[in-house]
Amino acid sequence: MSDHHTYKKVEVVGSSRISSDEAINNALAECAKSIRNLEWYEVLENRGHIENGKVGHYQVTLKVGFRISDS
């Protein structure tokens, strides 16, 4: 078994009308559909869309790291 790993990072934006946490979970769920070996995420930016003076959508930019399968 190898004692080192190699990772790749992608940047994605999740959104939700409910919360920032749900925006993160939505982004990770979509990533999990096409990316194997997901390992970690990092929040880069938290922003939103305003509708009638209130939050209409939460938008969270993430870097998602995954292990390259042969490492």
Side-chain angles (χ1 to χ4, degrees), residues 4-71:
H4 68 280
H5 300 290
T6 303
Y7 298 89
K8 182 166 180 69
K9 296 188 286 185
V10 296
E11 190 170 299
V12 297
V13 178
S15 67
S16 167
R17 284 195 174 271
I18 307 299
S19 69
S20 294
D21 285 346
E22 184 173 279
I24 292 168
N25 283 317
N26 290 344
L28 295 175
E30 286 299 313
C31 287
K33 292 178 182 178
S34 60
I35 301 172
R36 293 177 301 175
N37 303 318
L38 293 173
E39 294 279 332
W40 53 266
Y41 74 92
E42 172 185 359
V43 174
L44 301 177
E45 184 176 35
N46 193 336
R47 64 177 182 271
H49 178 249
I50 301 169
E51 295 175 354
N52 300 318
K54 296 181 180 180
V55 176
H57 278 93
Y58 297 85
Q59 301 166 336
V60 181
T61 303
L62 308 171
K63 278 192 181 175
V64 179
F66 59 96
R67 190 178 68 255
I68 296 175
S69 61
D70 289 340
S71 70

